[in-house]
Every structure is written in C-alpha cells, then in structure tokens.
Amino acid sequence: MTMTRLVAVSLAFLTLTTPMALAQMEDGLAGDPERGKVVYRSVGYCGNCHGWPGDGLTGTMLQAPAAPSLRESTLDTETLFEIIKCGLPGTPMPYHGRTAYRDDSCYGMALADFAPENKPRRGKTFSDADITNLVAYLETSVMGLGEPTFEECADFFDNPDARPCSRFK
Ligand code: HEC
C-alpha cells in the first residue's frame, strides 16, 4: 500500500461517521451530499437542463435541451457516476469529468475516436471526488422524491427568500 493510498483510506474512514455515509460505503462510494448539492447548483449547473429540483422542468433554461427527470431516475451508483463523468455521447448530456476522454477512464476512448455526430459534449468539468459527492446528493436528496416543495427549495438555494422559491409560498 502506497502512502497516498493510506492517506486516502484514512480520509475516507473519517468521513464515514454518519449512517448515510455508511449506507453508501456498501455501494463502494462515499460522497458528501451537502457538497454534492453545491456541485449540482453552482459548479455543474445541472439545473439549467434538469431543473433545480431535478424534475426536468422547474427552472430549466429556455435555450437548454430538455432533460429527463432525475427524481424518477432508477440508475445505480456506478452508472450515475459514469454518466456524469463521461456524459452520454450522441445526446445533449455533456461530460463533466476533468479527465474524461483524456485518460482511458471513459470507455477507453478519446474525443478523436468519435464520429462528429456522436462526439460527447463538454459541460463544466470537476474532480472525481466531486462526482462522487454529486452522486451522493442525487441518491439522498433527489431520486425518488415527488413534487418539489418550499422546504426543498429553501434548502437547495440555502435561502428561503431565493426567487425560485416564491412560487411555493
Ligand atoms: C446541456 C443540458 C444538460 C446538462 C447541463 C446536464 N444534463 Fe444530464 N442529461 C441531459 C439530457 C438531454 C439527458 C438525456 C440524454 C438521453 O438519454 O438522450 C441527460 C441525462 C442524464 C442522466 C441519466 C438519467 C437517466 O435516468 O437515464 C443523468 C443521471 C444526468 N443527466 C445527470 C446530470 C447531472 C448530475 C448534471 C450536472 C453535472 C447534468 N446531468 C447536466 C442534459 C443535460
């Protein structure tokens, strides 16, 4: 075991103190949903296409392609990670991994390997750790939820007076 691996393992262990984190460990991934929310909102701008609540409707940008509801998604942890990291080539879902198509982590492919019509689109990119945090956020706070509520909106924007929340009052 190398030194960096040891550090990574002990850091991972430190974050595994809540029951939620323990549940994720069983899936082999331990992310921080609070940080994941920030990544969804202010790093990846997922809401431009998926809506801030991930319902595919609310607060989407007019010029953005329609995107499916993440609240209704039933994908598993690994698939979520892969889709966020590598995108869905040939569709408007962009890739967000900083190393996507630069190393072999996305299907062993490089951008040059794709036909022009199937080339993956590039979104805002971030680290694998933040992809893991984002997946934890989707799994704990988005997937499986029904209609968005005022409480959820206030929590999402860290501000009950955020403009998108006024329609719930
Ligand atoms: C430019 C618009 C756009 C942005 C930005 C975007 N997506 Fe998507 N996303 C899509 C579209 C469109 C699809 C459906 C692609 C298809 O299958 O045709 C999709 C599909 C997905 C899926 C698969 C859902 C399922 O159940 O099949 C996931 C998960 C997802 N996006 C997560 C994210 C996350 C997380 C972010 C932010 C990091 C994000 N997306 C940013 C447009 C976008």
Side-chain angles (χ1 to χ4, degrees), residues 39-40 43-50 64-70 72-75 79-80 83-84 88 90-94 96 121 123-124 126 134 138:
V39 176
Y40 186 98
V43 181
Y45 299 98
C46 313
N48 287 356
C49 298
H50 290 280
S69 169
L70 302 176
E72 288 168 11
S73 178
T74 55
L75 297 174
T79 311
L80 288 167
I83 290 179
I84 295 168
L88 289 165
T91 83
M93 172 61 190
H96 295 88
R121 298 180 187 212
K124 300 283 177 189
F126 38 88
L134 183 46
L138 292 177

PDB file of all heavy atoms in Angstrom, residues 39-40 43-50 64-70 72-75 79-80 83-84 88 90-94 96 121 123-124 126 134 138, ligand 1:
ATOM      1  N   VAL A  39     -22.217  21.316  -5.881  1.00  0.00           N
ATOM      2  CA  VAL A  39     -21.711  20.954  -7.211  1.00  0.00           C
ATOM      3  C   VAL A  39     -22.862  20.984  -8.225  1.00  0.00           C
ATOM      4  O   VAL A  39     -22.725  21.539  -9.315  1.00  0.00           O
ATOM      5  CB  VAL A  39     -21.042  19.554  -7.189  1.00  0.00           C
ATOM      6  CG1 VAL A  39     -20.608  19.139  -8.592  1.00  0.00           C
ATOM      7  CG2 VAL A  39     -19.847  19.553  -6.241  1.00  0.00           C
ATOM      8  N   TYR A  40     -24.004  20.416  -7.849  1.00  0.00           N
ATOM      9  CA  TYR A  40     -25.170  20.415  -8.739  1.00  0.00           C
ATOM     10  C   TYR A  40     -25.584  21.846  -9.073  1.00  0.00           C
ATOM     11  O   TYR A  40     -25.841  22.182 -10.232  1.00  0.00           O
ATOM     12  CB  TYR A  40     -26.334  19.691  -8.052  1.00  0.00           C
ATOM     13  CG  TYR A  40     -27.563  19.508  -8.932  1.00  0.00           C
ATOM     14  CD1 TYR A  40     -27.798  18.313  -9.596  1.00  0.00           C
ATOM     15  CD2 TYR A  40     -28.501  20.541  -9.078  1.00  0.00           C
ATOM     16  CE1 TYR A  40     -28.921  18.146 -10.401  1.00  0.00           C
ATOM     17  CE2 TYR A  40     -29.627  20.385  -9.880  1.00  0.00           C
ATOM     18  CZ  TYR A  40     -29.834  19.178 -10.538  1.00  0.00           C
ATOM     19  OH  TYR A  40     -30.945  19.026 -11.337  1.00  0.00           O
ATOM     20  N   VAL A  43     -21.548  24.468  -9.566  1.00  0.00           N
ATOM     21  CA  VAL A  43     -20.335  24.055 -10.283  1.00  0.00           C
ATOM     22  C   VAL A  43     -20.726  23.435 -11.632  1.00  0.00           C
ATOM     23  O   VAL A  43     -20.237  23.837 -12.677  1.00  0.00           O
ATOM     24  CB  VAL A  43     -19.485  23.054  -9.456  1.00  0.00           C
ATOM     25  CG1 VAL A  43     -18.211  22.666 -10.213  1.00  0.00           C
ATOM     26  CG2 VAL A  43     -19.135  23.638  -8.090  1.00  0.00           C
ATOM     27  N   GLY A  44     -21.647  22.469 -11.584  1.00  0.00           N
ATOM     28  CA  GLY A  44     -22.051  21.779 -12.810  1.00  0.00           C
ATOM     29  C   GLY A  44     -23.212  22.431 -13.537  1.00  0.00           C
ATOM     30  O   GLY A  44     -23.437  22.158 -14.713  1.00  0.00           O
ATOM     31  N   TYR A  45     -23.963  23.290 -12.843  1.00  0.00           N
ATOM     32  CA  TYR A  45     -25.162  23.921 -13.433  1.00  0.00           C
ATOM     33  C   TYR A  45     -26.084  22.888 -14.079  1.00  0.00           C
ATOM     34  O   TYR A  45     -26.619  23.096 -15.160  1.00  0.00           O
ATOM     35  CB  TYR A  45     -24.770  25.019 -14.427  1.00  0.00           C
ATOM     36  CG  TYR A  45     -23.988  26.118 -13.760  1.00  0.00           C
ATOM     37  CD1 TYR A  45     -22.593  26.156 -13.825  1.00  0.00           C
ATOM     38  CD2 TYR A  45     -24.642  27.089 -13.010  1.00  0.00           C
ATOM     39  CE1 TYR A  45     -21.875  27.145 -13.170  1.00  0.00           C
ATOM     40  CE2 TYR A  45     -23.926  28.082 -12.356  1.00  0.00           C
ATOM     41  CZ  TYR A  45     -22.549  28.105 -12.443  1.00  0.00           C
ATOM     42  OH  TYR A  45     -21.851  29.075 -11.785  1.00  0.00           O
ATOM     43  N   CYS A  46     -26.248  21.769 -13.373  1.00  0.00           N
ATOM     44  CA  CYS A  46     -27.116  20.693 -13.869  1.00  0.00           C
ATOM     45  C   CYS A  46     -28.548  21.196 -14.042  1.00  0.00           C
ATOM     46  O   CYS A  46     -29.283  20.721 -14.904  1.00  0.00           O
ATOM     47  CB  CYS A  46     -27.115  19.530 -12.876  1.00  0.00           C
ATOM     48  SG  CYS A  46     -25.472  19.046 -12.321  1.00  0.00           S
ATOM     49  N   GLY A  47     -28.931  22.159 -13.193  1.00  0.00           N
ATOM     50  CA  GLY A  47     -30.299  22.665 -13.205  1.00  0.00           C
ATOM     51  C   GLY A  47     -30.674  23.384 -14.485  1.00  0.00           C
ATOM     52  O   GLY A  47     -31.859  23.476 -14.804  1.00  0.00           O
ATOM     53  N   ASN A  48     -29.712  23.894 -15.225  1.00  0.00           N
ATOM     54  CA  ASN A  48     -30.046  24.556 -16.493  1.00  0.00           C
ATOM     55  C   ASN A  48     -30.854  23.633 -17.390  1.00  0.00           C
ATOM     56  O   ASN A  48     -31.730  24.069 -18.115  1.00  0.00           O
ATOM     57  CB  ASN A  48     -28.769  24.979 -17.240  1.00  0.00           C
ATOM     58  CG  ASN A  48     -28.105  26.166 -16.587  1.00  0.00           C
ATOM     59  OD1 ASN A  48     -28.628  26.721 -15.617  1.00  0.00           O
ATOM     60  ND2 ASN A  48     -26.951  26.550 -17.094  1.00  0.00           N
ATOM     61  N   CYS A  49     -30.521  22.360 -17.367  1.00  0.00           N
ATOM     62  CA  CYS A  49     -31.222  21.388 -18.207  1.00  0.00           C
ATOM     63  C   CYS A  49     -32.191  20.518 -17.403  1.00  0.00           C
ATOM     64  O   CYS A  49     -33.271  20.205 -17.874  1.00  0.00           O
ATOM     65  CB  CYS A  49     -30.226  20.488 -18.925  1.00  0.00           C
ATOM     66  SG  CYS A  49     -29.125  21.383 -20.044  1.00  0.00           S
ATOM     67  N   HIS A  50     -31.777  20.099 -16.197  1.00  0.00           N
ATOM     68  CA  HIS A  50     -32.592  19.156 -15.415  1.00  0.00           C
ATOM     69  C   HIS A  50     -33.528  19.858 -14.446  1.00  0.00           C
ATOM     70  O   HIS A  50     -34.327  19.198 -13.783  1.00  0.00           O
ATOM     71  CB  HIS A  50     -31.691  18.192 -14.634  1.00  0.00           C
ATOM     72  CG  HIS A  50     -30.972  17.201 -15.505  1.00  0.00           C
ATOM     73  ND1 HIS A  50     -31.561  16.060 -15.992  1.00  0.00           N
ATOM     74  CD2 HIS A  50     -29.707  17.196 -15.992  1.00  0.00           C
ATOM     75  CE1 HIS A  50     -30.694  15.387 -16.734  1.00  0.00           C
ATOM     76  NE2 HIS A  50     -29.552  16.061 -16.754  1.00  0.00           N
ATOM     77  N   ALA A  64     -31.925  25.575 -23.262  1.00  0.00           N
ATOM     78  CA  ALA A  64     -31.265  24.298 -22.978  1.00  0.00           C
ATOM     79  C   ALA A  64     -32.107  23.133 -23.497  1.00  0.00           C
ATOM     80  O   ALA A  64     -33.324  23.221 -23.536  1.00  0.00           O
ATOM     81  CB  ALA A  64     -31.054  24.152 -21.478  1.00  0.00           C
ATOM     82  N   PRO A  65     -31.449  22.051 -23.913  1.00  0.00           N
ATOM     83  CA  PRO A  65     -32.221  20.900 -24.382  1.00  0.00           C
ATOM     84  C   PRO A  65     -33.000  20.277 -23.227  1.00  0.00           C
ATOM     85  O   PRO A  65     -32.542  20.299 -22.090  1.00  0.00           O
ATOM     86  CB  PRO A  65     -31.148  19.938 -24.888  1.00  0.00           C
ATOM     87  CG  PRO A  65     -29.869  20.399 -24.301  1.00  0.00           C
ATOM     88  CD  PRO A  65     -30.018  21.847 -23.933  1.00  0.00           C
ATOM     89  N   ALA A  66     -34.187  19.762 -23.526  1.00  0.00           N
ATOM     90  CA  ALA A  66     -34.994  19.109 -22.496  1.00  0.00           C
ATOM     91  C   ALA A  66     -34.224  17.926 -21.930  1.00  0.00           C
ATOM     92  O   ALA A  66     -33.590  17.182 -22.664  1.00  0.00           O
ATOM     93  CB  ALA A  66     -36.317  18.642 -23.092  1.00  0.00           C
ATOM     94  N   ALA A  67     -34.242  17.772 -20.622  1.00  0.00           N
ATOM     95  CA  ALA A  67     -33.510  16.689 -19.977  1.00  0.00           C
ATOM     96  C   ALA A  67     -34.456  15.904 -19.079  1.00  0.00           C
ATOM     97  O   ALA A  67     -35.420  16.449 -18.561  1.00  0.00           O
ATOM     98  CB  ALA A  67     -32.350  17.259 -19.158  1.00  0.00           C
ATOM     99  N   PRO A  68     -34.196  14.615 -18.906  1.00  0.00           N
ATOM    100  CA  PRO A  68     -35.121  13.774 -18.143  1.00  0.00           C
ATOM    101  C   PRO A  68     -35.119  14.107 -16.649  1.00  0.00           C
ATOM    102  O   PRO A  68     -34.194  14.729 -16.142  1.00  0.00           O
ATOM    103  CB  PRO A  68     -34.584  12.360 -18.372  1.00  0.00           C
ATOM    104  CG  PRO A  68     -33.162  12.522 -18.750  1.00  0.00           C
ATOM    105  CD  PRO A  68     -33.061  13.857 -19.428  1.00  0.00           C
ATOM    106  N   SER A  69     -36.176  13.683 -15.979  1.00  0.00           N
ATOM    107  CA  SER A  69     -36.287  13.855 -14.529  1.00  0.00           C
ATOM    108  C   SER A  69     -35.277  12.959 -13.819  1.00  0.00           C
ATOM    109  O   SER A  69     -35.223  11.755 -14.073  1.00  0.00           O
ATOM    110  CB  SER A  69     -37.693  13.478 -14.068  1.00  0.00           C
ATOM    111  OG  SER A  69     -37.725  13.408 -12.653  1.00  0.00           O
ATOM    112  N   LEU A  70     -34.479  13.557 -12.950  1.00  0.00           N
ATOM    113  CA  LEU A  70     -33.563  12.757 -12.138  1.00  0.00           C
ATOM    114  C   LEU A  70     -34.294  12.228 -10.905  1.00  0.00           C
ATOM    115  O   LEU A  70     -33.883  11.264 -10.288  1.00  0.00           O
ATOM    116  CB  LEU A  70     -32.351  13.593 -11.734  1.00  0.00           C
ATOM    117  CG  LEU A  70     -31.557  14.172 -12.914  1.00  0.00           C
ATOM    118  CD1 LEU A  70     -30.432  15.072 -12.422  1.00  0.00           C
ATOM    119  CD2 LEU A  70     -31.005  13.063 -13.801  1.00  0.00           C
ATOM    120  N   GLU A  72     -37.051  10.782 -11.043  1.00  0.00           N
ATOM    121  CA  GLU A  72     -37.624   9.492 -11.443  1.00  0.00           C
ATOM    122  C   GLU A  72     -36.573   8.500 -11.915  1.00  0.00           C
ATOM    123  O   GLU A  72     -36.899   7.379 -12.305  1.00  0.00           O
ATOM    124  CB  GLU A  72     -38.653   9.722 -12.562  1.00  0.00           C
ATOM    125  CG  GLU A  72     -39.909  10.386 -12.042  1.00  0.00           C
ATOM    126  CD  GLU A  72     -40.822  10.902 -13.140  1.00  0.00           C
ATOM    127  OE1 GLU A  72     -40.597  10.573 -14.325  1.00  0.00           O
ATOM    128  OE2 GLU A  72     -41.748  11.652 -12.801  1.00  0.00           O
ATOM    129  N   SER A  73     -35.311   8.905 -11.898  1.00  0.00           N
ATOM    130  CA  SER A  73     -34.256   8.008 -12.359  1.00  0.00           C
ATOM    131  C   SER A  73     -34.078   6.841 -11.387  1.00  0.00           C
ATOM    132  O   SER A  73     -34.200   7.008 -10.177  1.00  0.00           O
ATOM    133  CB  SER A  73     -32.937   8.772 -12.489  1.00  0.00           C
ATOM    134  OG  SER A  73     -31.913   7.879 -12.898  1.00  0.00           O
ATOM    135  N   THR A  74     -33.798   5.663 -11.932  1.00  0.00           N
ATOM    136  CA  THR A  74     -33.585   4.489 -11.074  1.00  0.00           C
ATOM    137  C   THR A  74     -32.179   3.912 -11.289  1.00  0.00           C
ATOM    138  O   THR A  74     -31.926   2.756 -10.986  1.00  0.00           O
ATOM    139  CB  THR A  74     -34.630   3.393 -11.397  1.00  0.00           C
ATOM    140  OG1 THR A  74     -34.559   3.120 -12.800  1.00  0.00           O
ATOM    141  CG2 THR A  74     -36.032   3.848 -11.039  1.00  0.00           C
ATOM    142  N   LEU A  75     -31.282   4.747 -11.831  1.00  0.00           N
ATOM    143  CA  LEU A  75     -29.933   4.250 -12.126  1.00  0.00           C
ATOM    144  C   LEU A  75     -29.169   3.920 -10.847  1.00  0.00           C
ATOM    145  O   LEU A  75     -29.386   4.540  -9.815  1.00  0.00           O
ATOM    146  CB  LEU A  75     -29.169   5.306 -12.931  1.00  0.00           C
ATOM    147  CG  LEU A  75     -29.749   5.630 -14.310  1.00  0.00           C
ATOM    148  CD1 LEU A  75     -28.994   6.783 -14.943  1.00  0.00           C
ATOM    149  CD2 LEU A  75     -29.705   4.395 -15.207  1.00  0.00           C
ATOM    150  N   THR A  79     -23.521   3.601 -12.438  1.00  0.00           N
ATOM    151  CA  THR A  79     -23.996   4.159 -13.717  1.00  0.00           C
ATOM    152  C   THR A  79     -24.139   5.674 -13.620  1.00  0.00           C
ATOM    153  O   THR A  79     -23.789   6.394 -14.559  1.00  0.00           O
ATOM    154  CB  THR A  79     -25.330   3.506 -14.121  1.00  0.00           C
ATOM    155  OG1 THR A  79     -25.182   2.085 -14.013  1.00  0.00           O
ATOM    156  CG2 THR A  79     -25.716   3.863 -15.544  1.00  0.00           C
ATOM    157  N   LEU A  80     -24.639   6.159 -12.487  1.00  0.00           N
ATOM    158  CA  LEU A  80     -24.737   7.610 -12.294  1.00  0.00           C
ATOM    159  C   LEU A  80     -23.351   8.242 -12.423  1.00  0.00           C
ATOM    160  O   LEU A  80     -23.164   9.245 -13.119  1.00  0.00           O
ATOM    161  CB  LEU A  80     -25.310   7.932 -10.906  1.00  0.00           C
ATOM    162  CG  LEU A  80     -26.799   7.650 -10.699  1.00  0.00           C
ATOM    163  CD1 LEU A  80     -27.139   7.722  -9.218  1.00  0.00           C
ATOM    164  CD2 LEU A  80     -27.658   8.627 -11.493  1.00  0.00           C
ATOM    165  N   ILE A  83     -22.212   8.213 -16.100  1.00  0.00           N
ATOM    166  CA  ILE A  83     -22.939   9.148 -16.976  1.00  0.00           C
ATOM    167  C   ILE A  83     -22.526  10.588 -16.679  1.00  0.00           C
ATOM    168  O   ILE A  83     -22.336  11.390 -17.593  1.00  0.00           O
ATOM    169  CB  ILE A  83     -24.467   8.969 -16.827  1.00  0.00           C
ATOM    170  CG1 ILE A  83     -24.895   7.632 -17.442  1.00  0.00           C
ATOM    171  CG2 ILE A  83     -25.227  10.126 -17.481  1.00  0.00           C
ATOM    172  CD1 ILE A  83     -26.384   7.338 -17.330  1.00  0.00           C
ATOM    173  N   ILE A  84     -22.367  10.906 -15.397  1.00  0.00           N
ATOM    174  CA  ILE A  84     -21.967  12.285 -15.055  1.00  0.00           C
ATOM    175  C   ILE A  84     -20.534  12.529 -15.517  1.00  0.00           C
ATOM    176  O   ILE A  84     -20.220  13.567 -16.085  1.00  0.00           O
ATOM    177  CB  ILE A  84     -22.134  12.538 -13.541  1.00  0.00           C
ATOM    178  CG1 ILE A  84     -23.614  12.454 -13.159  1.00  0.00           C
ATOM    179  CG2 ILE A  84     -21.549  13.893 -13.161  1.00  0.00           C
ATOM    180  CD1 ILE A  84     -23.870  12.389 -11.660  1.00  0.00           C
ATOM    181  N   LEU A  88     -23.364  11.304 -22.117  1.00  0.00           N
ATOM    182  CA  LEU A  88     -23.982  10.292 -22.975  1.00  0.00           C
ATOM    183  C   LEU A  88     -23.687  10.703 -24.408  1.00  0.00           C
ATOM    184  O   LEU A  88     -24.418  11.496 -25.000  1.00  0.00           O
ATOM    185  CB  LEU A  88     -25.492  10.204 -22.697  1.00  0.00           C
ATOM    186  CG  LEU A  88     -25.873   9.579 -21.344  1.00  0.00           C
ATOM    187  CD1 LEU A  88     -27.325   9.850 -20.990  1.00  0.00           C
ATOM    188  CD2 LEU A  88     -25.607   8.073 -21.345  1.00  0.00           C
ATOM    189  N   GLY A  90     -23.438  11.423 -28.187  1.00  0.00           N
ATOM    190  CA  GLY A  90     -24.514  11.377 -29.180  1.00  0.00           C
ATOM    191  C   GLY A  90     -25.803  12.017 -28.675  1.00  0.00           C
ATOM    192  O   GLY A  90     -26.773  12.100 -29.422  1.00  0.00           O
ATOM    193  N   THR A  91     -25.849  12.426 -27.376  1.00  0.00           N
ATOM    194  CA  THR A  91     -27.011  13.137 -26.823  1.00  0.00           C
ATOM    195  C   THR A  91     -26.519  14.471 -26.252  1.00  0.00           C
ATOM    196  O   THR A  91     -25.307  14.683 -26.135  1.00  0.00           O
ATOM    197  CB  THR A  91     -27.689  12.337 -25.673  1.00  0.00           C
ATOM    198  OG1 THR A  91     -26.987  12.593 -24.442  1.00  0.00           O
ATOM    199  CG2 THR A  91     -27.712  10.843 -25.952  1.00  0.00           C
ATOM    200  N   PRO A  92     -27.445  15.360 -25.850  1.00  0.00           N
ATOM    201  CA  PRO A  92     -27.001  16.634 -25.255  1.00  0.00           C
ATOM    202  C   PRO A  92     -26.416  16.503 -23.841  1.00  0.00           C
ATOM    203  O   PRO A  92     -25.945  17.493 -23.293  1.00  0.00           O
ATOM    204  CB  PRO A  92     -28.291  17.474 -25.211  1.00  0.00           C
ATOM    205  CG  PRO A  92     -29.259  16.780 -26.106  1.00  0.00           C
ATOM    206  CD  PRO A  92     -28.886  15.328 -26.091  1.00  0.00           C
ATOM    207  N   MET A  93     -26.491  15.326 -23.211  1.00  0.00           N
ATOM    208  CA  MET A  93     -25.946  15.183 -21.851  1.00  0.00           C
ATOM    209  C   MET A  93     -24.420  15.274 -21.915  1.00  0.00           C
ATOM    210  O   MET A  93     -23.746  14.395 -22.454  1.00  0.00           O
ATOM    211  CB  MET A  93     -26.397  13.843 -21.243  1.00  0.00           C
ATOM    212  CG  MET A  93     -25.738  13.496 -19.916  1.00  0.00           C
ATOM    213  SD  MET A  93     -26.069  14.701 -18.592  1.00  0.00           S
ATOM    214  CE  MET A  93     -24.904  14.136 -17.349  1.00  0.00           C
ATOM    215  N   PRO A  94     -23.844  16.358 -21.366  1.00  0.00           N
ATOM    216  CA  PRO A  94     -22.402  16.575 -21.512  1.00  0.00           C
ATOM    217  C   PRO A  94     -21.582  15.761 -20.512  1.00  0.00           C
ATOM    218  O   PRO A  94     -22.118  15.259 -19.526  1.00  0.00           O
ATOM    219  CB  PRO A  94     -22.252  18.072 -21.209  1.00  0.00           C
ATOM    220  CG  PRO A  94     -23.422  18.446 -20.376  1.00  0.00           C
ATOM    221  CD  PRO A  94     -24.517  17.438 -20.640  1.00  0.00           C
ATOM    222  N   HIS A  96     -18.653  15.648 -17.560  1.00  0.00           N
ATOM    223  CA  HIS A  96     -18.244  16.587 -16.518  1.00  0.00           C
ATOM    224  C   HIS A  96     -16.949  16.187 -15.830  1.00  0.00           C
ATOM    225  O   HIS A  96     -16.495  16.880 -14.922  1.00  0.00           O
ATOM    226  CB  HIS A  96     -19.342  16.716 -15.457  1.00  0.00           C
ATOM    227  CG  HIS A  96     -20.613  17.327 -15.988  1.00  0.00           C
ATOM    228  ND1 HIS A  96     -21.620  16.570 -16.560  1.00  0.00           N
ATOM    229  CD2 HIS A  96     -21.028  18.604 -16.064  1.00  0.00           C
ATOM    230  CE1 HIS A  96     -22.606  17.374 -16.949  1.00  0.00           C
ATOM    231  NE2 HIS A  96     -22.279  18.606 -16.662  1.00  0.00           N
ATOM    232  N   ARG A 121     -20.475  15.927 -25.714  1.00  0.00           N
ATOM    233  CA  ARG A 121     -20.397  17.370 -25.473  1.00  0.00           C
ATOM    234  C   ARG A 121     -19.705  17.619 -24.156  1.00  0.00           C
ATOM    235  O   ARG A 121     -19.795  16.818 -23.236  1.00  0.00           O
ATOM    236  CB  ARG A 121     -21.802  17.963 -25.415  1.00  0.00           C
ATOM    237  CG  ARG A 121     -22.501  17.776 -26.727  1.00  0.00           C
ATOM    238  CD  ARG A 121     -23.873  18.365 -26.662  1.00  0.00           C
ATOM    239  NE  ARG A 121     -24.582  18.014 -27.886  1.00  0.00           N
ATOM    240  CZ  ARG A 121     -25.490  18.784 -28.462  1.00  0.00           C
ATOM    241  NH1 ARG A 121     -25.804  19.944 -27.922  1.00  0.00           N
ATOM    242  NH2 ARG A 121     -26.090  18.391 -29.564  1.00  0.00           N
ATOM    243  N   GLY A 123     -19.332  19.652 -20.712  1.00  0.00           N
ATOM    244  CA  GLY A 123     -20.003  20.531 -19.754  1.00  0.00           C
ATOM    245  C   GLY A 123     -18.966  21.164 -18.856  1.00  0.00           C
ATOM    246  O   GLY A 123     -17.778  21.155 -19.157  1.00  0.00           O
ATOM    247  N   LYS A 124     -19.413  21.729 -17.734  1.00  0.00           N
ATOM    248  CA  LYS A 124     -18.478  22.199 -16.708  1.00  0.00           C
ATOM    249  C   LYS A 124     -17.791  20.967 -16.157  1.00  0.00           C
ATOM    250  O   LYS A 124     -18.460  19.974 -15.867  1.00  0.00           O
ATOM    251  CB  LYS A 124     -19.242  22.900 -15.585  1.00  0.00           C
ATOM    252  CG  LYS A 124     -20.035  24.094 -16.042  1.00  0.00           C
ATOM    253  CD  LYS A 124     -19.129  25.271 -16.276  1.00  0.00           C
ATOM    254  CE  LYS A 124     -19.915  26.452 -16.799  1.00  0.00           C
ATOM    255  NZ  LYS A 124     -19.025  27.543 -17.241  1.00  0.00           N
ATOM    256  N   PHE A 126     -15.254  18.830 -13.382  1.00  0.00           N
ATOM    257  CA  PHE A 126     -14.795  18.829 -11.992  1.00  0.00           C
ATOM    258  C   PHE A 126     -14.193  17.470 -11.653  1.00  0.00           C
ATOM    259  O   PHE A 126     -14.161  16.571 -12.503  1.00  0.00           O
ATOM    260  CB  PHE A 126     -15.924  19.240 -11.034  1.00  0.00           C
ATOM    261  CG  PHE A 126     -17.303  18.727 -11.391  1.00  0.00           C
ATOM    262  CD1 PHE A 126     -17.745  17.503 -10.942  1.00  0.00           C
ATOM    263  CD2 PHE A 126     -18.155  19.493 -12.185  1.00  0.00           C
ATOM    264  CE1 PHE A 126     -19.016  17.047 -11.258  1.00  0.00           C
ATOM    265  CE2 PHE A 126     -19.438  19.032 -12.519  1.00  0.00           C
ATOM    266  CZ  PHE A 126     -19.856  17.807 -12.051  1.00  0.00           C
ATOM    267  N   LEU A 134     -21.634  14.489  -5.836  1.00  0.00           N
ATOM    268  CA  LEU A 134     -22.852  14.767  -6.598  1.00  0.00           C
ATOM    269  C   LEU A 134     -23.760  13.543  -6.634  1.00  0.00           C
ATOM    270  O   LEU A 134     -24.981  13.654  -6.454  1.00  0.00           O
ATOM    271  CB  LEU A 134     -22.440  15.203  -8.015  1.00  0.00           C
ATOM    272  CG  LEU A 134     -23.483  15.615  -9.026  1.00  0.00           C
ATOM    273  CD1 LEU A 134     -24.502  16.562  -8.440  1.00  0.00           C
ATOM    274  CD2 LEU A 134     -22.795  16.268 -10.215  1.00  0.00           C
ATOM    275  N   LEU A 138     -27.629  13.203  -5.331  1.00  0.00           N
ATOM    276  CA  LEU A 138     -28.757  12.700  -6.129  1.00  0.00           C
ATOM    277  C   LEU A 138     -29.444  11.548  -5.397  1.00  0.00           C
ATOM    278  O   LEU A 138     -30.669  11.490  -5.313  1.00  0.00           O
ATOM    279  CB  LEU A 138     -28.276  12.233  -7.510  1.00  0.00           C
ATOM    280  CG  LEU A 138     -27.766  13.324  -8.455  1.00  0.00           C
ATOM    281  CD1 LEU A 138     -27.251  12.707  -9.765  1.00  0.00           C
ATOM    282  CD2 LEU A 138     -28.838  14.363  -8.755  1.00  0.00           C
TER     283      LEU A 138
HETATM  284  C1  HEC B   1     -26.944  20.725 -21.654  1.00  0.00           C
HETATM  285  C2  HEC B   1     -28.002  20.086 -20.880  1.00  0.00           C
HETATM  286  C3  HEC B   1     -27.589  19.167 -19.752  1.00  0.00           C
HETATM  287  C4  HEC B   1     -26.781  19.450 -18.673  1.00  0.00           C
HETATM  288  C5  HEC B   1     -26.031  20.747 -18.348  1.00  0.00           C
HETATM  289  C6  HEC B   1     -26.782  18.264 -17.853  1.00  0.00           C
HETATM  290  N1  HEC B   1     -27.558  17.287 -18.400  1.00  0.00           N
HETATM  291 FE1  HEC B   1     -27.869  15.432 -17.670  1.00  0.00          FE
HETATM  292  N2  HEC B   1     -28.931  14.912 -19.330  1.00  0.00           N
HETATM  293  C7  HEC B   1     -29.276  15.798 -20.343  1.00  0.00           C
HETATM  294  C8  HEC B   1     -30.053  15.079 -21.350  1.00  0.00           C
HETATM  295  C9  HEC B   1     -30.648  15.695 -22.607  1.00  0.00           C
HETATM  296  C10 HEC B   1     -30.139  13.725 -20.907  1.00  0.00           C
HETATM  297  C11 HEC B   1     -30.831  12.567 -21.637  1.00  0.00           C
HETATM  298  C12 HEC B   1     -29.893  12.038 -22.688  1.00  0.00           C
HETATM  299  C13 HEC B   1     -30.527  10.907 -23.479  1.00  0.00           C
HETATM  300  O1  HEC B   1     -30.578   9.776 -22.951  1.00  0.00           O
HETATM  301  O2  HEC B   1     -30.971  11.163 -24.598  1.00  0.00           O
HETATM  302  C14 HEC B   1     -29.444  13.681 -19.625  1.00  0.00           C
HETATM  303  C15 HEC B   1     -29.309  12.527 -18.851  1.00  0.00           C
HETATM  304  C16 HEC B   1     -28.806  12.498 -17.569  1.00  0.00           C
HETATM  305  C17 HEC B   1     -28.808  11.346 -16.694  1.00  0.00           C
HETATM  306  C18 HEC B   1     -29.393   9.971 -16.995  1.00  0.00           C
HETATM  307  C19 HEC B   1     -30.780   9.897 -16.371  1.00  0.00           C
HETATM  308  C20 HEC B   1     -31.461   8.572 -16.545  1.00  0.00           C
HETATM  309  O3  HEC B   1     -32.184   8.140 -15.612  1.00  0.00           O
HETATM  310  O4  HEC B   1     -31.319   7.947 -17.614  1.00  0.00           O
HETATM  311  C21 HEC B   1     -28.223  11.738 -15.518  1.00  0.00           C
HETATM  312  C22 HEC B   1     -28.011  10.894 -14.261  1.00  0.00           C
HETATM  313  C23 HEC B   1     -27.856  13.134 -15.653  1.00  0.00           C
HETATM  314  N3  HEC B   1     -28.216  13.550 -16.915  1.00  0.00           N
HETATM  315  C24 HEC B   1     -27.266  13.887 -14.650  1.00  0.00           C
HETATM  316  C25 HEC B   1     -26.775  15.185 -14.844  1.00  0.00           C
HETATM  317  C26 HEC B   1     -26.037  15.910 -13.838  1.00  0.00           C
HETATM  318  C27 HEC B   1     -25.769  15.432 -12.440  1.00  0.00           C
HETATM  319  C28 HEC B   1     -25.675  17.109 -14.408  1.00  0.00           C
HETATM  320  C29 HEC B   1     -24.788  18.183 -13.849  1.00  0.00           C
HETATM  321  C30 HEC B   1     -23.440  17.803 -13.508  1.00  0.00           C
HETATM  322  C31 HEC B   1     -26.217  17.115 -15.759  1.00  0.00           C
HETATM  323  N4  HEC B   1     -26.879  15.935 -15.971  1.00  0.00           N
HETATM  324  C32 HEC B   1     -26.087  18.163 -16.653  1.00  0.00           C
HETATM  325  C33 HEC B   1     -28.939  17.129 -20.436  1.00  0.00           C
HETATM  326  C34 HEC B   1     -28.072  17.807 -19.573  1.00  0.00           C
END
